[in-house]
Amino acid sequence: MAILVTGGAGYIGSHTVLYLNGLGEEVIVLDSLKKGHREAVRNAAFYQGELKDGDLLNEIFTTHQIDAVIHFAADSLVGESVEQPLQYYENNVIGTYHLVKKMVEHQVKKIVFSSTAAVYGNPVNVPIKEEDPTVPTNPYGETKLAIEKMLKWADDAYGLKSVCLRYFNAAGADLEGRIGEDHTPESHLIPIILQIALGQREQVSIFGNDYPTPDGSCVRDYIHVMDLADAHYLALKRLRAKEESSTYNLGNGTGYSVKEVIKACLKVTGENIKAVSAPRRAGDPAILVASSEKAKKELGWIPQYHELEQIVAHAWKWHQNNPSGYNAETIIKNI
Ligand SMILES: NC(=O)c1ccc[n+]([C@@H]2O[C@H](COP(=O)([O-])OP(=O)(O)OC[C@H]3O[C@@H](n4cnc5c(N)ncnc54)[C@H](O)[C@@H]3O)[C@@H](O)[C@H]2O)c1
Ligand SMILES: O=c1ccn([C@@H]2O[C@H](COP(=O)(O)OP(=O)(O)O[C@H]3O[C@H](CO)[C@@H](O)[C@H](O)[C@H]3O)[C@@H](O)[C@H]2O)c(=O)[nH]1
């Protein structure tokens, strides 16, 4: 049986596809390439298209024997979602509605869904547990929460079993340096800082210095993208064995402020990083740190990369070897 990976040409999706390939799974990728890169997908059948393209989904579900979907495809930027909320409802909620409708039609009954720490909003407890209140502070988190609820009702009505993985901040890259993070424009903190180290940017703005955190900047829990890939495999394994819906946090359990991330990048790269204070970014909660005890207990998930410097070092290796990301020069170099 094959696994359909939506958004499999994106950052986390492509690392998960590579990981599943390594375990001998047959993978089919659907990606619009709005944000992803064809070159990031290796050893998988590839379909370029949209979640809302019902004819394409019919073709995929009838051509391949698909028993499960891993659903990454989404818009996923906190700040952008505050400015373009309808885009997020359309692509995330309506896009997933179309996918789920086709899964039900084609009797595909398992889905692993990319949810997010953004469903919690400003946490009442730190580290955050799955049963804590979900009060998103931005439309992105709202759309992911709406999808989680859509999947719950789809389970009740149609027996569609889901695992919702609420990941915290993905970072790092494939250990062998084959693929990595390449967003245009880049908005994520670690790649932005690494672009400064490469001499491609002058400075990083620290969004907010008056948060109720030890140094006033936002605190996040950075989790290695390959640890996330492993969690997707374990979630799928559980769905195949137990056919039971569930929700898990995925993080390291340690929070780093924006200023601490800058220091870690300075240490790894040996380059000076110019940082300037800037206003808060709309929609950002002050602190997001995971309790992942449930995933460890029920999925048997054992994250391998706990140290922020180690995670940054893997990202740095990719950025150093691929300073322009997946451009033609990069592809030639990597082959
Ligand atoms: N990066 C993080 O730190 C993080 C944390 C928590 C959750 N997530 C979630 O994980 C998933 C992947 O995140 P990422 O950082 O790899 O993002 P990404 O933008 O790199 O990947 C998303 C991929 O989905 C594709 N896509 C988007 N809309 C599509 C559509 N309608 N039809 C087909 N393809 C479409 C894009 O082209 C892209 O390749 C997202 O759902 C995101 O919300 C990410
Ligand atoms: O130039 C920058 C970029 C970011 N930040 C801050 O750095 C932190 C991390 O930001 P970023 O890397 O943009 O990630 P988040 O906004 O935390 O969101 C990521 O992590 C979420 C889970 O926590 C996911 O759901 C999102 O999809 C993913 O983009 C935040 O506090 C930002 O305010 C800055 O100060 N300056």
Side-chain angles (χ1 to χ4, degrees):
M1 297 296 276
I3 304 160
L4 172 63
V5 178
T6 74
Y11 170 47
I12 308 172
S14 60
H15 285 79
T16 303
V17 169
L18 199 64
Y19 189 75
L20 292 171
N21 281 155
L23 293 167
E25 295 281 352
E26 185 189 350
V27 180
I28 317 297
V29 170
L30 168 68
D31 197 300
S32 63
L33 297 183
K34 170 173 142 180
K35 288 281 173 69
H37 305 272
R38 178 66 186 88
E39 303 85 349
V41 181
R42 298 155 172 246
N43 302 324
F46 182 81
Y47 291 84
Q48 181 173 356
E50 287 280 340
L51 293 170
K52 65 182 176 205
D53 186 340
D55 291 341
L56 181 59
L57 284 172
N58 283 338
E59 184 190 334
I60 294 172
F61 284 126
T62 48
T63 308
H64 305 277
Q65 282 215 307
I66 291 168
D67 77 321
V69 175
I70 304 185
H71 178 35
F72 292 100
D75 289 330
S76 63
L77 305 178
V78 169
E80 182 184 65
S81 78
V82 177
E83 285 159 20
Q84 305 289 345
L86 293 184
Q87 173 192 320
Y88 276 68
Y89 277 90
E90 182 175 8
N91 200 37
N92 295 357
V93 181
I94 300 176
T96 303
Y97 154 80
H98 285 290
L99 173 70
V100 169
K101 194 167 158 231
K102 285 294 160 193
M103 288 179 69
V104 171
E105 272 176 38
H106 290 272
Q107 302 273 312
V108 178
K109 300 226 165 190
K110 300 176 195 67
I111 183 167
V112 179
F113 168 58
S114 298
S115 189
T116 167
V119 299
Y120 293 110
N122 279 305
V124 290
N125 301 306
V126 179
I128 304 168
K129 292 197 174 130
E130 289 81 353
E131 63 271 22
D132 285 345
T134 45
V135 189
T137 54
N138 52 67
Y140 164 60
E142 287 285 7
T143 62
K144 292 286 181 168
L145 193 57
I147 296 167
E148 287 195 8
K149 290 181 181 170
M150 185 196 300
L151 293 175
K152 181 246 179 259
W153 292 112
D155 182 359
D156 287 358
Y158 319 115
L160 174 67
K161 301 296 172 192
S162 59
V163 174
C164 296
L165 298 177
R166 293 175 177 167
Y167 3 116
F168 286 59
N169 288 53
D174 167 47
L175 271 58
E176 293 175 40
R178 292 167 291 183
I179 55 174
E181 185 168 10
D182 178 6
H183 292 118
T184 307
E186 189 51 82
S187 67
H188 294 92
L189 181 63
I190 291 175
I192 281 181
I193 300 171
L194 297 180
Q195 286 174 352
I196 300 169
L198 284 171
Q200 297 174 341
R201 263 178 207 265
E202 202 189 320
Q203 60 189 38
V204 57
S205 297
I206 301 173
F207 295 146
N209 58 13
D210 57 351
Y211 283 101
T213 59
D215 65 19
S217 64
C218 280
V219 169
R220 295 287 180 272
D221 180 338
Y222 294 86
I223 181 74
H224 200 292
V225 68
M226 294 314 297
D227 281 329
L228 290 182
D230 181 45
H232 285 80
Y233 174 66
L234 294 171
L236 193 66
K237 212 165 121 182
R238 181 178 162 90
L239 271 182
R240 283 172 171 165
K242 272 198 157 277
E243 301 202 349
E244 191 180 277
S245 294
S246 41
T247 301
Y248 300 101
N249 286 343
L250 299 175
N252 264 316
T254 308
Y256 293 92
S257 71
V258 173
K259 291 178 188 172
E260 286 172 327
V261 173
I262 294 171
K263 272 191 204 137
C265 292
L266 187 153
K267 211 162 161 197
V268 169
T269 63
E271 299 290 336
N272 202 17
I273 309 293
K274 185 176 171 198
V276 294
S277 285
R280 289 183 179 196
R281 189 175 65 180
D284 270 345
I287 174 161
L288 289 171
V289 178
S291 161
S292 302
E293 292 315 307
K294 189 178 171 201
K296 288 177 187 166
K297 197 167 153 222
E298 293 185 11
L299 298 179
W301 184 56
I302 308 171
Q304 302 295 311
Y305 310 101
H306 298 282
E307 301 301 323
L308 181 61
E309 281 173 27
Q310 192 183 20
I311 297 173
V312 170
H314 293 159
W316 180 228
K317 182 176 163 189
W318 155 261
H319 283 275
Q320 273 186 308
N321 289 333
N322 305 273
S324 310
Y326 291 102
N327 67 5
E329 204 181 308
T330 306
I331 301 159
I332 291 162
K333 206 165 18 170
N334 273 347
I335 282 173

